[in-house]
């Protein structure tokens, strides 16, 4: 691992299926992401962006090649080690929010910290601070079922960022949101990116999301076809 | 409790409340299953107890001393005299004991003749020893061992067409092998729970019978009731050593068929356990699997967020254990209540004839044994644990990502 690279892939390849049914979802992808970057992965359905995101997140295993997050080569890790890396170094935001329905917003934000073993007082302080940062301090005691989609996604962002991860991975974070809520959410991610220097990689079809990212990677048929670094912010 | 354990315990409790209806039904199923199991065990234990007590009460005792010849041919000739030193030892030990003269006889009324066991007893001793203490007597009971009167069972009196105040003749052999006939006046009629005892025995004073047979110290048996039946083997050996010419048997040796029935009852309890628990296991496992499949996404999310697989297994198991613990607590309450409700006995008199054949009393008192409760609760807890491990294993076997996408 060199310099400030947060993510580095080497000839990363992922095939699905066997024999004649084999499909190459990702084909020898090499790229790096530095600390503090806000990257969008775009491309048509089946282009490999979600596959790439899952491999970076340690949620999937490559057929060949390597993927590094910080100093850790995920390819060589066991399931338990990958779980440990996800818990301590990576935050996730999903298309479907994926909050635990029996927990309040605050408890959802506290959840990962509980797994990390953070003590109750610190956990509560950090969760409240993060909910305040995403504009949901007043809804801390509400359960996901009593919140709008946009509010739930903000809670998901708070949960992903509260542990100050090295990397935030967002898979189609705006897919279930209207444009106004998307703008608000992306503004929030951007602010977090600037405030905490959190590295963000998001897979998206959404042009609004792409506008907020500073670096835009275009995938097609499992390969990077364009990598536009250093675009001016929105 | 460490933070993650506290968290998953709380999550488990909330998930229970989240699926209230389903979990309430499952708790109820566990409670009814355990309650039924406990009540059935209590009924069988009651049956077992009544069989044991009735066997011991039928002039047997925990231990019985006889001559070996009397066991093969129970006549007066095969009686014996208990040595005074042994009698003194028994008196000084804290056991209840008595001697009897139990002889086969033919009883004859003006109308009928039947075979019967003539029992020469000491009514004061029998008040602590045998079924005599429990019978209801019409007329009068035997006053003491010198009482020359005869007390007959109600069913025997009915079949002989005789009754209180009438005379009957009993024919039996004396210790010298001679056939003797004695006239007795019926002074009382006893009413036992079943007709078995009423037909089997005719009671008279032991000393009076000895006098009639010109054999003052003759006994055919010594019967003992022990304060602690667990000491029966020690007592058996002690008596064998003290009375080398006689045989000392436990009640199970004298009434092996009852002992076998009790063994059968124990087996029946185990079979009942196995059937009910197997059915329950499938029900529980099925519901737990459904519960896990319903929450595939959540469990997948936990994996994705970095929760250890062992903690996810523990989470599923703890949820199942909450249900089991609540269900089992309700089951114990339910079973105990049912046993308490029938603590005065379950009236089986409608089926008395059939019931007696199986050693059942007309009124059966269920008896809840703590060990049975413990065994049932522990078994069901282990069963619940096993039934929840499978869905828990399924939950962690899923790739977190696929689970998040709702694939199972």
């Amino acid at each position: 691992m060199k310099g400030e690279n947060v993510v580095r892939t080497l000839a990363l390849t992922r095939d699905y299926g066997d024999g004649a049914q084999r499909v190459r979802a990702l084909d020898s992808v090499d790229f790096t992401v530095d600390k503090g970057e806000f990257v969008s992965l775009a491309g048509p359905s089946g282009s490999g962006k979600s596959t790439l995101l899952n491999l970076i997140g340690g949620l999937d295993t490559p057929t060949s090649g390597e993927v590094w997050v910080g100093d850790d080569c995920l390819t060589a890790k066991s399931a338990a080690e990958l779980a440990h890396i996800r818990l301590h170094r990576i935050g996730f935001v999903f298309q479907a929010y994926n909050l635990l329905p029996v927990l309040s917003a605050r408890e959802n934000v506290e959840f990962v910290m509980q797994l990390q073993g953070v003590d109750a007082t610190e956990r509560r302080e950090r969760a409240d601070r993060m909910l305040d940062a995403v504009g949901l301090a007043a809804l801390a005691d509400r359960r996901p079922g009593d919140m709008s989609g946009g509010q739930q996604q903000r809670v998901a962002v708070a949960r992903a960022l509260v542990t100050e991860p090295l990397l935030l991975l967002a898979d189609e974070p705006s897919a279930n949101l209207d444009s106004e809520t998307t703008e608000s959410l992306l503004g929030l991610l951007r602010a977090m990116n600037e405030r905490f220097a959190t590295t963000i990689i998001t897979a998206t079809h959404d042009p609004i999301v792409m506008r907020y990212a500073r670096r835009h990677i275009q995938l097609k048929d499992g390969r990077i076809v364009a990598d536009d670094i250093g675009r001016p912010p929105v | 409790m460490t933070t993650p354990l506290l968290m998953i315990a709380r999550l488990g409790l909330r998930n229970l409340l989240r699926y209230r209806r389903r979990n309430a039904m499952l708790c109820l199923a566990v409670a009814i299953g355990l309650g039924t199991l406990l009540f059935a065990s209590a009924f069988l234990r009651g049956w077992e107890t009544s069989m044991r007590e009735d066997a011991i009460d039928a002039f047997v005792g925990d231990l019985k001393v006889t001559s070996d010849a009397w066991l093969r041919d129970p006549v007066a000739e095969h009686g014996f005299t208990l040595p005074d030193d042994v009698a003194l030892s028994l008196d000084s030990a804290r056991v209840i004991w008595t001697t009897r003269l139990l002889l086969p006889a033919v009883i004859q009324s003006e109308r009928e003749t039947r075979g019967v066991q003539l029992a020469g007893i000491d009514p004061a001793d029998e008040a602590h020893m045998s079924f005599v203490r429990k019978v209801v007597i019409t007329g009068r009971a035997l006053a003491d061992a010198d009482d020359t009167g005869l007390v007959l069972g109600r069913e025997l009196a009915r079949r002989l067409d005789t009754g209180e105040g009438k005379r009957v003749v009993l024919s039996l052999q004396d210790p010298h092998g001679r056939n003797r006939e004695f006239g007795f006046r019926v002074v009382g009629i006893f009413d036992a729970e079943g007709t078995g005892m009423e037909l089997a025995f005719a009671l008279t004073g032991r000393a009076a019978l000895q006098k009639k047979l010109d054999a003052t110290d003759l006994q055919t048996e010594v019967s003992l009731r022990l304060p602690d039946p667990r000491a029966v083997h020690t007592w058996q050996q002690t008596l064998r050593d003290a009375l080398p010419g006689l045989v000392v048997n436990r009640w199970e040796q004298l009434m092996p068929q009852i002992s076998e029935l009790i063994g059968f009852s124990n087996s029946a309890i185990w079979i009942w356990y196995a059937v009910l628990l197997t059915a329950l296991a499938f029900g529980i496992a099925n519901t737990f699997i459904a519960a896990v499949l319903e929450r595939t996404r959540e469990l997948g999310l936990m994996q994705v967020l970095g929760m250890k697989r062992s903690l996810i297994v523990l989470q599923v198991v703890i949820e199942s254990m909450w249900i089991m613990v609540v269900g089992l607590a309700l089951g114990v309450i339910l079973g105990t209540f049912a046993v308490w409700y029938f603590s005065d006995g379950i009236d089986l008199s409608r089926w008395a004839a059939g019931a007696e054949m199986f050693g059942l009393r007309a009124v059966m008192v269920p008896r809840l044994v703590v060990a049975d409760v413990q065994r049932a609760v522990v078994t069901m807890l282990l069963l619940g644990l096993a039934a929840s491990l499978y869905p828990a294993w399924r939950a962690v076997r899923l790739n977190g990502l696929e689970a998040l996408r709702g694939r199972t």
Side-chain angles (χ1 to χ4, degrees):
Chain A
M1 193 75 204
K2 293 180 289 183
E4 288 291 300
N5 287 170
V6 170
V7 175
R8 187 180 181 206
T9 70
L10 297 170
L12 195 61
T13 302
R14 180 67 168 105
D15 294 339
Y16 292 108
D18 290 312
Q21 306 293 317
R22 181 180 287 249
V23 175
R24 179 148 290 185
L26 214 57
D27 191 1
S28 293
V29 170
D30 292 292
F31 86 118
T32 57
V33 177
D34 289 340
K35 183 170 170 59
E37 280 197 282
F38 188 158
V39 183
S40 75
L41 299 175
S45 289
S47 60
K49 54 189 186 300
S50 288
T51 303
L52 181 56
L53 211 59
N54 294 334
L55 288 168
I56 294 168
L59 298 171
D60 199 2
T61 312
T63 307
S64 62
E66 289 179 7
V67 54
W68 291 76
V69 171
D71 297 327
D72 295 306
C73 177
L74 304 191
T75 323
K77 302 289 181 190
S78 67
E81 288 169 329
L82 288 175
H84 186 265
I85 291 168
R86 286 199 298 272
L87 179 61
H88 291 276
R89 313 198 77 172
I90 306 173
F92 290 91
V93 176
F94 306 96
Q95 175 180 335
Y97 325 134
N98 286 320
L99 301 175
L100 293 170
V102 292
L103 301 182
S104 68
R106 180 187 291 116
E107 287 167 336
N108 265 289
V109 176
E110 284 187 49
F111 182 78
V112 180
M113 287 190 283
Q114 277 186 297
L115 292 176
Q116 289 179 335
V118 177
D119 76 68
T121 314
E122 186 187 343
R123 219 164 55 216
R124 172 126 189 174
E125 277 173 16
R126 282 166 66 178
D128 283 347
R129 209 165 47 233
M130 192 51 72
L131 282 170
D132 189 38
V134 298
L136 289 176
L139 305 183
D141 293 320
R142 281 205 196 167
R143 290 197 181 178
D146 301 325
M147 300 169 92
S148 70
Q151 288 167 337
Q152 287 186 59
Q153 196 62 300
R154 280 167 177 266
V155 176
V157 169
R159 179 182 64 191
L161 292 175
V162 74
T163 56
E164 296 171 12
L166 185 66
L167 175 66
L168 176 74
L169 299 176
D171 189 7
E172 305 278 7
S174 61
N176 292 331
L177 304 178
D178 58 45
S179 56
E180 191 182 338
T181 314
T182 300
E183 291 277 2
S184 162
L185 178 77
L186 265 295
L188 174 69
L189 282 178
R190 184 60 180 271
M192 295 295 170
N193 168 246
E194 285 169 359
R195 186 167 158 193
F196 300 112
T198 308
T199 309
I200 300 174
I201 304 177
T202 174
T204 187
H205 282 107
D206 190 340
I208 302 175
V209 179
M210 292 180 214
R211 275 200 290 117
Y212 276 84
R214 285 202 176 124
R215 179 177 169 193
H216 175 61
I217 294 174
Q218 184 76 30
L219 287 151
K220 189 179 177 189
D221 297 332
R223 293 178 180 210
I224 294 177
V225 292
D227 188 349
D228 179 9
I229 301 175
R231 293 189 323 144
V234 176
Chain B
M1 202 186 289
T2 60
T3 302
L5 284 182
L6 202 64
M7 174 189 69
I8 60 177
R10 189 173 57 189
L11 260 177
L13 197 58
R14 290 201 189 165
N15 278 320
L16 276 191
L17 298 172
R18 178 178 168 198
Y19 300 103
R20 273 189 198 92
R21 186 179 296 178
R22 187 189 62 206
N23 291 331
M25 293 301 287
L26 190 57
C27 276
L28 204 61
V30 171
I32 290 172
L34 180 65
T36 312
L37 190 70
L38 293 181
F39 186 72
S41 308
F43 186 86
L44 286 170
R45 292 289 179 212
W47 177 44
E48 201 178 292
T49 304
S50 74
M51 275 195 299
R52 182 186 292 114
E53 281 178 0
D54 288 350
I56 290 170
D57 278 355
F59 290 148
V60 175
D62 293 314
L63 282 172
K64 187 166 172 171
V65 182
T66 59
S67 70
D68 190 36
W70 187 87
L71 284 176
R72 281 180 270 112
D73 183 14
V75 291
E77 198 178 339
H78 297 146
F80 61 93
T81 301
L82 186 69
D84 288 342
D85 59 326
V86 177
L88 279 171
S89 301
L90 290 173
D91 277 338
S92 60
R94 292 177 60 197
V95 291
I96 302 164
W97 68 284
T98 191
T99 61
R100 300 188 189 103
L101 195 52
L102 196 62
L103 300 169
V106 173
I107 186 166
Q108 194 180 336
S109 69
E110 302 96 314
R111 298 179 186 279
E112 286 290 337
T113 302
R114 288 187 65 86
V116 73
Q117 291 281 320
L118 178 60
I121 60 170
D122 182 337
D125 289 347
E126 299 298 343
H128 312 286
M129 292 287 303
S130 66
F131 74 94
V132 175
R133 72 182 186 279
K134 293 189 285 194
V135 297
V136 178
I137 294 179
T138 315
R140 72 169 179 82
L142 295 172
D144 52 35
D146 294 312
D147 198 325
T148 56
L150 189 72
V151 176
L152 295 182
R154 178 165 303 286
E155 184 61 18
L156 181 61
R158 188 186 70 74
R159 294 196 187 182
L160 290 170
D161 196 12
T162 189
E164 189 191 339
K166 294 193 174 176
R167 285 187 70 80
V168 290
V169 174
L170 278 115
S171 307
L172 64 158
Q173 281 188 11
D174 71 8
H176 308 291
R178 292 172 303 197
N179 280 331
R180 306 275 299 270
E181 286 191 349
F182 303 105
F184 284 86
R185 183 170 299 282
V186 178
V187 295
I189 304 291
F190 71 83
D191 211 337
E193 256 191 59
T195 57
M197 299 292 175
E198 292 175 6
L199 281 169
F201 297 107
L203 313 174
T204 190
R206 182 184 62 213
L209 183 57
Q210 285 167 335
K211 197 172 173 185
K212 279 183 197 289
L213 292 170
D214 303 321
T216 316
D217 294 320
L218 183 72
Q219 293 117 27
T220 58
E221 63 186 56
V222 180
S223 184
L224 286 89
R225 292 297 296 263
L226 305 174
D228 179 8
R230 286 172 299 184
V232 70
H233 287 91
T234 313
W235 271 100
Q236 186 177 26
Q237 194 52 51
T238 306
L239 286 169
R240 278 177 178 162
D241 294 343
L243 301 164
L246 298 171
V247 292
V248 184
N249 283 311
R250 300 187 309 277
W251 74 266
E252 298 101 311
Q253 294 170 301
L254 293 166
M255 306 190 99
Q257 71 281 18
I258 301 295
S259 185
E260 287 291 317
L261 267 175
I262 289 172
F264 166 75
S265 158
N266 268 320
S267 307
I269 289 176
W270 280 109
I271 292 167
W272 178 243
Y273 265 52
V275 170
L276 201 74
L277 293 181
T278 306
L280 208 59
F282 279 104
I284 291 169
N286 197 36
T287 312
F288 287 167
I289 289 169
V292 165
L293 291 181
E294 242 171 40
R295 293 172 42 223
T296 300
R297 289 178 74 105
E298 271 174 57
L299 297 171
L301 172 70
M302 289 174 181
Q303 275 200 58
V304 167
L305 293 180
M307 192 165 175
K308 285 181 195 163
R309 288 183 170 186
S310 55
L311 274 182
I312 294 175
V313 169
L314 199 61
Q315 154 98 37
V316 174
V317 169
I318 281 180
E319 280 185 38
S320 311
M321 287 298 104
W322 274 117
I323 293 175
M324 291 305 293
V325 166
V326 174
L328 291 177
L330 288 175
V332 171
I333 292 169
L334 192 68
T336 310
F337 175 78
V339 172
W340 169 80
Y341 186 79
F342 289 106
S343 57
D344 289 338
I346 302 163
D347 187 4
L348 302 175
S349 53
R350 194 182 299 176
W351 304 282
E356 201 176 327
M357 203 163 69
F358 293 101
L360 287 166
R361 292 173 180 168
V363 175
M364 175 60 61
V365 180
R367 189 167 159 264
L368 197 58
V369 177
V370 175
D372 284 344
V373 179
Q374 289 169 339
R375 187 169 55 186
V377 168
V378 170
T379 310
M380 287 183 77
L381 262 183
L382 291 176
L383 191 80
L385 183 67
S388 62
L389 279 176
Y390 174 64
W393 172 77
R394 278 190 63 153
V396 295
R397 193 177 54 110
L398 293 172
N399 173 299
L401 193 65
E402 293 194 338
L404 260 188
R405 289 173 185 151
R407 292 180 195 158
T408 57

